Amino acid sequence: MNAAPQFEPAAGDTVLAARNIVKSYGGTHALKGVNFDIRRGEVTTLFGENGAGKSTLMKILSGVETPTSGSIELDGRPVVFSSTVDARDRGISIIHQELSLAPNLSVRDNIFMGRELRGATGLDFAEEARQTRMLMVDLEEDIDPMTLVQDLRLGQQQIVEIARALSVDSRILIMDEPTSALSATEVEVLFKVIRDLTARGVSIVYISHHLEEALQITDHAVVLRDGTITATGKAKNIDLEWIVRNMVGENFDLGSPPTGYAFGDVALSIDDVSIADVSGSDRLVVDRLSLDVRAGEIVCIYGLMGAGRTELLECVAGRLPVTGGRVLLEGDDISRLSIAERINRGLVLVPEDRQRDGLVQTMTVGANLSLASIGAFVKGMLLSRSQERSLIDGTIRDVRVKTAGAGAPIGSLSGGNQQKVVIGKMLTTDPKVMLLDEPSRGIDVGAKAEVFRLLGERAAQGLAVVFSTSEVAECLGIAHRIIVMRRGRISAQFGADVTKEQIMAASGEAVLV
Amino acid sequence: MTSASQNSSRSGPRTSSGGFSLAKLLLEGRAFLALMVIILVFSMLSPYYFSLGNFLTMASHVAIFGILAVGMLLVILNGGIDLSVGSTLGLSGVVAGFLMQGVQLQTLGVVLFPPVWVVVVLICVLGALVGLVNGVLIAWLKVPAFVATLGMLYVVRGAALLMTNGLTYNDLGGKPELGNTGFDWLGFNRLFGIPIGVLVMVVIAIIGSIILNRTAFGRWLYASGGNERAAELSGVPVKKVQVSVYMLSGICASVAGLILSSELTSAGPTAGNSYELTAIAAVVIGGAALTGGRGNIRGTLVGAFVIGFLSDGLVIIGVSAYWQTVFTGAVIVLAVLLNAIQYRRRVKLPGSNGGPSTSPQQAGKARTADPAHEKIAG
C-alpha cells in the first residue's frame, strides 16, 4: 500500500510532526497551536482529559479532518492529507475510538473494505480470508473470517478494528482508546503486538484513559489540556502523579459548594435502578444503583466512558426505560411517566450532546429558550407573544447568554452560550431537580465557571442538581457530594474535601500509592 | 422560517450589510420573483394571459394544489412526507359522490340523502382517518414516512377503485326535493367574483399560518422537525404532533377532493393521481427544506402559484403537454438547487453579532444523527 520511502529515518527520529495546529469548531477552539512529534519505532502516548483535544489532533494527523491553521510534516516535508485514504496511502492509519466497522459484513470483508484484493476472476476472497486468519493468529484471537461483525462481542469487534489497521502495513499507527472494551489478556496480546511493530520500526501513537496501562507501553508521553500541550517527557522520567498533575492542572477555580443553607427534603430518589444495554447484550449498563439527592444539594457523578453515567441520567429523565427499580420524585414513583410528564413535575435533563439533543438548529435563540415552557403562554388558543418575549428576555439576562438578541440564529452563539441556552430553556420550566450530563463538554474554562456558578446559585434557591463529568477537576468545584461510578455501580462516595487521586482511584483510572 | 423572521424583525437593530442584501433578497424572494417573471413572460407571449378573468381561472386551478400543499407543508416541516394525499383526494371525491347518490340502509329499507354540509364533514373525517393511519404507522410503529404513505397511496386508491368498480359518479347536483343540493356551489360559485375554491384555499392558508406562528402546536411542529431529539427532551409531545400533521394533511386532501369533484361535476376514482408530487414541488419551490424545520405558508402558496401559472401559461400559448412536464420538472430542480445554496449560505455566514456560526459539519452531524438513532431505538 505505502510506497517504500527512500529515506529511512533512524529510530527516535521524527517521522510525522504537527506544527502549530489550530482547530476551531464555530466558537470553540479544540486545539490552540499544538506541536506534536511522532518518533520512529516508538510509542508516543497522548494523555488528556475528555475534551482536551486528543481525538481532534489524531483526526487531523490521519486525514479525517483538516486543521483550521498549521501544518503537518511527513519525513520533514510539509504534507496535506486530502482524505483518510490519502493518509493511509502514505502509511498512516488510525484505530478509531468509535468503532467504524460495518456490522452487516463479515470480518474478512471489513478488514479489506475499500481495498479489496483483486484476483484473476474478480476478487480474491481466498487470499483475503488467508490474510485475515493470519492477523487473527497474530492477535491470538479465535475468530473465523466469515463471522459477521454484528455477531461478535464488543471486545472482539475492537480486535477486528485493530486487525484492519494492522493489515495495511502502516508506518504510523494511531490507536485512539483501543483497549476500552478489551479484557486484560487481550490487552496483553495487543501490547505484545505493539512491541513487535515498534521493533520493526513502526511508530505508534497511543491514547488511553487507563493511565497505568498506557504507562506500561509508552516510550514518550505528551500531555494535552484544553487544546494545548502542557508537558512532554520520556517514560523513564515520568510517573502517574506527573501525568495526573499535568492533565488536570492546578490553578483552575470552578468555585466551591454553596453554603449557608440547609438542604431540604429528598427531591430525587433513585431506588435500586438497573438499566439494560441498548445494544442487546445481557450486561446491565447500570446495575442496582441507589442514590438520594436533597433539595439544594449538588451531586457530581464522576466516571470513565462506559461507566453508565449517561444511561443513568437519561433513564431518570425518561428517555431510557428502567429494567429494574424505581425513580421517585419527591416521593412519587415517576418510572412510568413520559419525558414531558416528568418535566411538568419538575425533573429536567440537560443532555450531553447539545448539538444533537439540546438545540433545534433551525430555530432562533428565543424560540429555543421558550421551547420547553411554550405551553404556559397559551391564551385561549394562541400564544401570548408579550409573555413569551418577557420570559425569553428575562432568561437571557438570568443565565447571561451573550447574543445579539432573541432573534439571532442559535448557530451564531459560542459553545458556552449555546449551553447556557439549553440550561436556561430547562430552567424556564421551574424545575425541582436538574440533571446535567457533562455540562462542561466542549466549552471553554470561562464559560465552565459561569455555568457552575449559575448552578450554585440555583441550588442555593432549593434546586437539586446532579451533574456528571469526566474531568476530575470539576468534581472539586461546586459539588457537595461526589459519586464515582464504575461499571454501572457506585464505587465510592466522597464529600467535598476529596482529592483528585482518591476520585481517580475509585474510577479505576489510576491507583496511586 | 416565519417565526424566525418575525422575531428578528422585532429584536432591535440588526446590521444589514449593504450590497449583499440585494442578493439575499433575490435569493429569499426567489419564488415570488419567479412568479413575476412567469406572469411577465406569458403576458408578452399571449394577449389572453394578463386578464382578471384568466387569473381567476388559473387561481381556481391553483387552489387544489395550494390546499394540498398547505397540508404537505405541515408534514414536511415536521420532517416527514405524505405521498397519500393524491389518493385521499380521489377517495374523498368518490365517497362524496357515493353519499350524494344516497345511502341505502338495507336493514331499515330506507335510502338516506345526507345534506351537503354533512357530506363535507364526513369527508373531512375520512381524510383525518387516512392521516391518522399514516401518523400511527409513522409515529408509533416507526414505519418510515415515505414507505407508510406510499403504502397508503396504493391502499386508498384501491379503495376508491373498489367502491366504484372503476366507474365515475357523474351526478353530484343533488335534488331539491331530497334537500341535498348545493354541492356545485363549491366548484362553481363565486363570492365577490372570486371562485369559492380560491377562497377556501385562502382560509386554509390563514388558519395554517396562525397554527404555525401563533400556537404552541406550531412551535412544537417546527421544533420536532428541526431536531426531534431536542424537542422530545424539552417536553414536546413529538408523537402527538407527528400524528396531528398527517391528520391535517389528510383533511386538506379531502377538502381539495370535494372542490375538485364539484368543479368537474363528477367524482372519478383516479382523480388526483400524482397530485402529491405537485404538492411536494410547491412546498419545495416555496423554500421549505425537506429535512424539516424550515419553511412557511407564504412561500408554499407562491410555490403553488408558480407551478399553476406556469403550466396554464404553457397551455395558453399552445406548448405541448409533454413540454409542460419538462418545464415543471426543471423549475423544481432549480428550486431545490437554490434551497441548497440558501441553507449552505446561512450556515456559513456568521450571525449579525459577529459570532462564529456552527460549522457545517457539526450541523450536518446533528441532523444525520437523528434517523440513525431512531433506527436503534425502534
Side-chain angles (χ1 to χ4, degrees):
Chain A
M1 278 277 104
N2 59 324
Q6 300 286 311
F7 144 82
E8 271 291 327
D13 282 357
T14 298
V15 282
L16 185 71
R19 293 279 170 259
N20 228 354
I21 296 283
V22 174
K23 178 72 185 177
S24 310
Y25 295 100
T28 44
H29 303 286
L31 296 173
K32 306 165 184 165
V34 167
N35 289 300
F36 182 70
D37 288 7
I38 298 174
R39 292 177 170 80
R40 183 172 188 274
E42 286 190 3
V43 179
T44 308
T45 309
L46 192 55
F47 294 101
E49 294 186 301
N50 269 1
K54 303 183 302 277
S55 292
T56 310
L57 181 58
M58 290 310 111
K59 281 178 183 165
I60 287 171
L61 288 179
S62 59
V64 179
E65 300 210 22
T66 47
T68 310
S69 70
S71 61
I72 300 168
E73 288 172 13
L74 186 62
D75 301 324
R77 280 183 294 271
V79 284
V80 175
F81 299 130
S82 56
S83 66
T84 46
V85 178
D86 186 20
R88 192 177 71 192
D89 289 348
R90 294 171 194 255
I92 301 164
S93 51
I94 182 165
I95 299 169
H96 286 288
Q97 188 175 352
E98 305 95 15
L99 297 178
S100 53
L101 302 170
N104 55 331
L105 297 182
S106 69
V107 171
R108 178 198 71 192
D109 292 349
N110 265 286
I111 286 178
F112 289 94
M113 196 194 302
R115 42 184 203 88
E116 291 77 5
L117 302 181
R118 310 232 171 251
T121 53
L123 296 182
D124 191 349
F125 289 124
E127 175 61 16
E128 286 187 4
R130 194 188 62 81
Q131 291 192 19
T132 304
R133 255 181 243 112
M134 279 174 58
L135 285 165
M136 290 304 148
V137 170
D138 282 349
L139 289 164
E140 298 179 21
E141 198 73 26
D142 184 24
I143 302 173
D144 183 81
M146 292 316 291
T147 317
L148 296 186
V149 163
Q150 65 199 12
D151 296 335
L152 299 176
R153 65 183 168 76
L154 199 59
Q156 289 177 314
Q157 293 186 13
Q158 210 158 26
I159 295 282
V160 174
E161 182 93 28
I162 292 167
R164 179 163 71 179
L166 295 179
S167 72
V168 188
D169 237 351
S170 323
R171 302 167 57 199
I172 298 164
L173 184 56
I174 298 169
M175 301 181 166
D176 193 354
E177 295 269 0
T179 60
S180 59
L182 297 190
S183 67
T185 23
E186 286 168 331
V187 172
E188 278 305 309
V189 175
L190 176 66
F191 282 5
K192 211 165 75 193
V193 172
I194 288 178
R195 286 193 194 98
D196 276 359
L197 289 170
T198 49
R200 296 207 313 251
V202 176
S203 315
I204 309 277
V205 182
Y206 191 85
I207 297 176
S208 177
H209 265 298
H210 297 271
L211 307 182
E212 285 177 313
E213 191 187 281
L215 206 51
Q216 281 176 37
I217 191 78
T218 192
D219 294 313
H220 199 85
V222 176
V223 185
L224 197 60
R225 185 170 79 223
D226 284 327
T228 334
I229 302 249
T230 51
T232 56
K234 286 256 170 221
K236 60 177 185 292
N237 303 328
I238 62 170
D239 56 10
L240 268 178
E241 210 200 314
W242 177 90
I243 297 170
V244 172
R245 198 174 59 236
N246 286 297
M247 253 172 74
V248 176
E250 296 292 351
N251 43 4
F252 194 66
D253 186 21
L254 285 173
S256 52
T259 52
Y261 61 95
F263 296 151
D265 294 334
V266 173
L268 173 71
S269 180
I270 299 169
D271 180 20
D272 208 29
V273 162
S274 299
I275 304 167
D277 192 352
V278 199
S279 63
S281 75
D282 300 336
R283 204 170 70 92
L284 292 172
V285 280
V286 171
D287 190 4
R288 285 160 293 160
L289 185 144
S290 293
L291 174 67
D292 283 354
V293 185
R294 293 178 171 277
E297 192 182 11
I298 304 178
V299 174
C300 164
I301 301 180
Y302 178 81
L304 294 180
M305 201 176 282
R309 290 167 300 161
T310 298
E311 289 83 355
L312 177 67
L313 294 181
E314 291 200 338
C315 171
V316 172
R319 184 188 255 175
L320 293 177
V322 290
T323 312
R326 302 181 302 164
V327 179
L328 305 170
L329 184 67
E330 296 186 316
D332 298 332
D333 189 351
I334 57 164
S335 323
R336 301 277 170 267
L337 298 187
S338 71
I339 297 174
E341 285 165 330
R342 293 183 205 211
I343 292 173
N344 285 339
R345 293 207 179 196
L347 177 104
V348 298
L349 169 69
V350 173
E352 181 181 15
D353 188 334
R354 68 180 162 271
Q355 303 294 344
R356 199 181 60 178
D357 299 335
L359 298 167
V360 181
Q361 298 290 350
T362 49
M363 303 205 306
T364 59
V365 172
N368 268 292
L369 272 171
S370 64
L371 182 60
S373 50
I374 192 99
F377 322 119
V378 180
K379 266 193 198 156
M381 292 276 288
L382 303 182
L383 294 175
S384 160
R385 287 186 181 174
S386 57
Q387 269 187 43
E388 187 192 356
R389 188 79 199 156
S390 66
L391 179 106
I392 290 171
D393 289 344
T395 311
I396 288 178
R397 263 197 315 278
D398 245 25
V399 300
R400 299 179 203 97
V401 180
K402 287 187 204 75
T403 169
I410 191 71
S412 69
L413 303 191
S414 69
N417 280 300
Q418 290 187 357
Q419 185 67 294
K420 287 187 215 162
V421 169
V422 181
I423 294 174
K425 170 178 76 177
M426 297 326 295
L427 284 175
T428 61
T429 64
D430 208 9
K432 296 172 183 127
V433 177
M434 182 172 245
L435 314 170
L436 302 99
D437 197 1
E438 300 236 19
S440 64
R441 197 174 116 164
I443 65 180
D444 61 46
V445 181
K448 251 181 224 183
E450 269 195 70
V451 164
F452 284 123
R453 191 177 62 210
L454 180 71
L455 294 177
E457 284 167 17
R458 293 296 168 143
Q461 292 162 22
L463 179 70
V465 176
V466 180
F467 73 92
S468 77
T469 181
S470 44
E471 295 187 30
V472 190
E474 288 179 12
C475 301
L476 307 177
I478 56 164
H480 295 111
R481 190 146 59 104
I482 293 117
I483 306 287
V484 181
M485 272 184 82
R486 184 177 183 180
R487 298 205 180 121
R489 313 182 88 149
I490 293 177
S491 63
Q493 289 211 38
F494 302 105
D497 52 351
V498 68
T499 63
K500 288 168 195 164
E501 289 74 17
Q502 284 173 302
I503 296 173
M504 290 173 96
S507 73
E509 198 160 1
V511 186
L512 293 179
V513 271
Chain B
M1 165 185 145
T2 339
S3 63
S5 57
Q6 277 166 353
N7 280 340
S8 60
S9 63
R10 294 190 287 131
S11 68
R14 267 170 72 100
T15 47
S16 61
S17 38
F20 166 69
S21 67
L22 180 70
K24 193 176 164 187
L25 197 74
L26 288 180
L27 189 62
E28 284 184 352
R30 61 182 178 272
F32 191 70
L33 198 75
L35 184 60
M36 292 298 121
V37 170
I38 286 168
I39 292 174
L40 194 76
V41 169
F42 285 113
S43 299
M44 287 190 297
L45 291 175
S46 161
Y48 307 109
Y49 194 82
F50 198 89
S51 72
L52 188 63
N54 184 46
F55 282 153
L56 287 176
T57 312
M58 292 196 297
S60 66
H61 297 160
V62 168
I64 305 291
F65 295 120
I67 292 167
L68 286 180
V70 168
M72 186 67 75
L73 172 70
L74 302 182
V75 175
I76 286 177
L77 280 177
N78 195 237
I81 195 90
D82 188 352
L83 299 177
S84 66
V85 292
S87 298
T88 308
L89 183 153
L91 181 67
S92 297
V94 166
V95 173
F98 168 77
L99 292 173
M100 294 305 293
Q101 311 299 314
V103 187
Q104 241 179 334
L105 293 178
Q106 301 242 314
T107 45
L108 300 173
V110 291
V111 181
L112 281 180
F113 290 93
V116 169
W117 70 269
V118 173
V119 173
V120 169
V121 170
L122 286 177
I123 296 302
C124 287
V125 170
L126 173 73
L129 280 177
V130 174
L132 181 68
V133 174
N134 279 329
V136 168
L137 283 173
I138 293 158
W140 297 99
L141 303 176
K142 299 281 172 205
V143 180
F146 191 95
V147 179
T149 59
L150 181 66
M152 286 303 281
L153 179 154
Y154 284 107
V155 170
V156 172
R157 182 67 70 196
L161 287 163
L162 279 172
M163 269 193 76
T164 61
N165 230 343
L167 302 173
T168 298
Y169 289 108
N170 283 315
D171 179 22
L172 301 177
K175 292 188 179 68
E177 63 269 26
L178 296 171
N180 66 347
T181 51
F183 195 76
D184 304 344
W185 182 83
L186 270 174
F188 280 101
N189 263 48
R190 297 188 170 209
L191 223 57
F192 316 114
I194 302 167
I196 299 297
V198 176
L199 291 176
V200 171
M201 175 183 71
V202 170
V203 169
I204 285 182
I206 290 171
I207 294 173
S209 201
I210 290 173
I211 288 178
L212 285 182
N213 297 316
R214 299 297 308 276
T215 66
F217 176 79
R219 195 66 63 80
W220 290 339
L221 174 47
Y222 275 112
S224 44
N227 185 347
E228 191 183 333
R229 293 164 61 97
E232 192 181 12
L233 279 178
S234 302
V236 172
V238 285
K239 288 196 163 64
K240 281 184 200 154
V241 171
Q242 211 169 16
V243 174
S244 306
V245 292
Y246 286 97
M247 290 177 72
L248 290 170
S249 173
I251 293 172
C252 286
S254 289
V255 173
L258 288 170
I259 295 173
L260 185 68
S261 47
S262 175
E263 273 178 6
L264 301 174
T265 64
S266 71
T270 55
N273 205 358
S274 86
Y275 279 24
E276 60 278 348
L277 301 179
T278 314
I280 294 169
V283 173
V284 169
I285 291 173
L290 283 174
T291 44
R294 295 185 212 264
N296 59 44
I297 297 270
R298 199 184 29 193
T300 296
L301 279 193
V302 174
F305 274 95
V306 165
I307 294 180
F309 278 27
L310 176 69
S311 56
D312 279 11
L314 292 169
V315 171
I316 287 173
I317 62 166
V319 172
S320 91
Y322 307 140
W323 273 112
Q324 290 174 37
T325 318
V326 173
F327 277 119
T328 312
V331 167
I332 294 167
V333 172
L334 193 69
V336 179
L337 204 67
L338 289 171
N339 274 3
I341 292 172
Q342 183 183 1
Y343 293 134
R344 197 186 315 145
R345 192 163 206 161
R346 197 172 283 178
V347 169
K348 264 187 191 164
L349 285 168
S352 55
N353 63 343
S357 65
T358 335
S359 81
Q361 245 171 345
Q362 272 177 319
K365 247 184 230 163
R367 212 168 298 133
T368 49
D370 280 354
H373 176 82
E374 264 180 26
K375 259 176 231 152
I376 294 165

